[in-house]
């Protein structure tokens, strides 16, 4: 069985991006362009993935420092695509190995498309991916003979007038036996308008040696769309999001406006999920059956249980939400939070690193941090857990069936035991026994005939 080597060209400067960030690290759908390409390559189970880097190389390598299976080859100076692939060839090339060439700034190529190329390459053929477009300006043309067989690829700057009228273009994606590349690449020349060593020239070598050449047409233009400028990046971002939206709707999700959705990770939805406009999903998000997400919400790395409703302008980050919960509007659920079933978290309530039991409620203007809250607890408006002493975080424990009035401060570490009631405006710094009332004694004074101070009238 031949070994598959994937080479990803990522050495370009990307001057039209006008950015200090290397082009291949610019994000699309929340992940770098290069990360998308690596994922597509990984799905083919290659023996090795080699990234050819150049401009901003240290930054590019640092961005993937945790991926130890990647191999790296530096291209310096950058003398063209043929020169770039040459840098990635292993000194020990087996005759049965095949190489697949990809591009770090063409992020949406599908593994299914690439598989067609590798299957052909395994049959000792040069396989090339092409595309027919209405406007081929600036792109290399596929020149075919009278029998319709591909003969060469001509870059636009080197093309004749008749060749420029060809609408079948080179995408750059190819696969072939590695031994062929090892034979051809050192013999490329730079006799062209760019003065570079073109990878595309290997097609002519294959024809001259009477080796079999096959082509496949890309099914979707966006698969082979490269990024050279920020407007192209924005256009491809929206294309990606629309494709995600179509898939979600096919799977039974209602989107109030498919054009106003942003999935920047992996969004999994059960049936009858409804998502309103301008919602952003980052990381891994799972929405169970019947979940409703209101407008302008941000959900990151979280699970939302069956029948729960997330009201507008709510942010949920790294949390687990139970079934039939109601959160928001304008709520913030921070990392480490676990909400049980039928919990209500209302407007301008923040919950951080806390677990809240079944049926408990915090409906208004409260902060619950580093806390364990039992079942059927009511937290009144303006209540906060004072969890930070300036050096360390401390935990607050609230038992089942506790009622906490408005404007209460719970100074951790502290425990309010089951069934207790805390009166409005109380500061709790000692544990509260079960089934008791805790309050700070206050005296209310009334002065009759009191006149508020008044500002002098302007003359």
């Amino acid at each position: 069985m031949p070994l598959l080597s994937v080479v990803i060209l990522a050495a370009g400067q990307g001057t039209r991006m006008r950015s200090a960030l290397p082009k291949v690290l610019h994000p699309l759908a929340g992940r770098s362009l290069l990360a998308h390409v690596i994922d597509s390559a990984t799905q083919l189970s290659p023996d090795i993935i080699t990234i050819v880097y150049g401009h901003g190389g240290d930054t590019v390598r640092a961005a993937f420092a945790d991926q130890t299976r990647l191999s790296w080859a530096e291209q310096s100076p950058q003398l063209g695509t043929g020169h770039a692939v040459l840098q990635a060839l292993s000194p020990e090339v087996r005759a049965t190995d095949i190489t697949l060439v990809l591009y770090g700034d063409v992020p949406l190529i599908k593994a299914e498309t690439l598989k067609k190329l590798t299957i052909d390459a395994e049959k000792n053929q040069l396989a090339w991916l092409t595309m027919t477009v209405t406007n081929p300006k600036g792109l290399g043309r596929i020149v075919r003979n009278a029998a319709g067989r591909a003969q060469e690829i001509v870059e636009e700057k080197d093309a004749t007038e008749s060749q420029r009228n060809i609408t079948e273009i080179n995408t750059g994606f190819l696969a072939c036996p590695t031994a062929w590349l090892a034979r051809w690449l050192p013999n490329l020349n730079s006799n062209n308008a760019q003065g570079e060593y073109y990878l595309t020239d290997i097609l002519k070598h294959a024809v001259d040696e009477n080796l079999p050449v096959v082509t496949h047409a890309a099914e979707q233009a966006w698969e082979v769309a490269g990024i050279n400028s920020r407007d192209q990046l924005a256009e491809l971002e929206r294309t990606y999001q629309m494709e995600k939206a179509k898939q979600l709707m096919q799977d039974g999700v209602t989107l109030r406006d498919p054009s106003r959705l942003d999935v920047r990770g992996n969004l999994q939805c059960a049936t009858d999920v409804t998502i309103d406009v301008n919602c952003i999903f980052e990381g891994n998000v799972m929405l169970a059956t019947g979940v409703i997400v209101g407008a302008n919400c941000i959900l990151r790395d979280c699970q939302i249980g069956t029948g729960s409703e997330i009201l507008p302008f709510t942010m949920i980050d790294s949390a687990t939400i139970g079934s039939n919960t109601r959160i928001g509007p304008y709520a913030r659920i921070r990392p480490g939070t676990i909400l049980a079933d039928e919990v209500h978290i209302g407007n301008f309530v923040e919950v951080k690193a806390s677990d809240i039991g079944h049926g408990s409620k915090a409906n208004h203007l409260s902060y619950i941090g580093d806390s364990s809250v039992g079942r059927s607890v009511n937290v009144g408006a303006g209540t906060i857990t004072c969890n930070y002493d300036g050096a360390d975080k401390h935990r607050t424990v609230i038992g089942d069936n506790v009622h906490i009035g408005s404007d209460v401060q719970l100074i951790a570490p502290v425990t309010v035991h089951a069934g207790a009631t805390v009166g409005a405006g109380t500061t709790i710094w000692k544990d509260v026994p079960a089934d008791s009332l805790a309050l700070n004694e206050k005296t209310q004074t009334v002065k009759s005939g009191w006149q508020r101070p008044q500002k002098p009238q302007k003359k």
Side-chain angles (χ1 to χ4, degrees), residues 17-22 26 56 59 230:
M17 298 297 286
R18 296 189 179 276
S19 173
L21 185 69
H26 279 262
T59 304
R230 292 181 189 266

Side-chain angles (χ1 to χ4, degrees), residues 43 50 120 135 305 360 409:
Q43 292 178 52
T50 302
D120 283 333
N135 180 12
S360 292
Q409 300 85 47

Side-chain angles (χ1 to χ4, degrees), residues 329-350:
Y330 294 98
R332 184 184 181 194
I333 311 298
R334 292 172 57 189
T337 293
I338 301 174
L339 305 186
D341 298 345
E342 300 185 17
V343 168
H344 288 186
I345 301 296
N347 50 284
F348 302 104
V349 174
E350 180 179 352

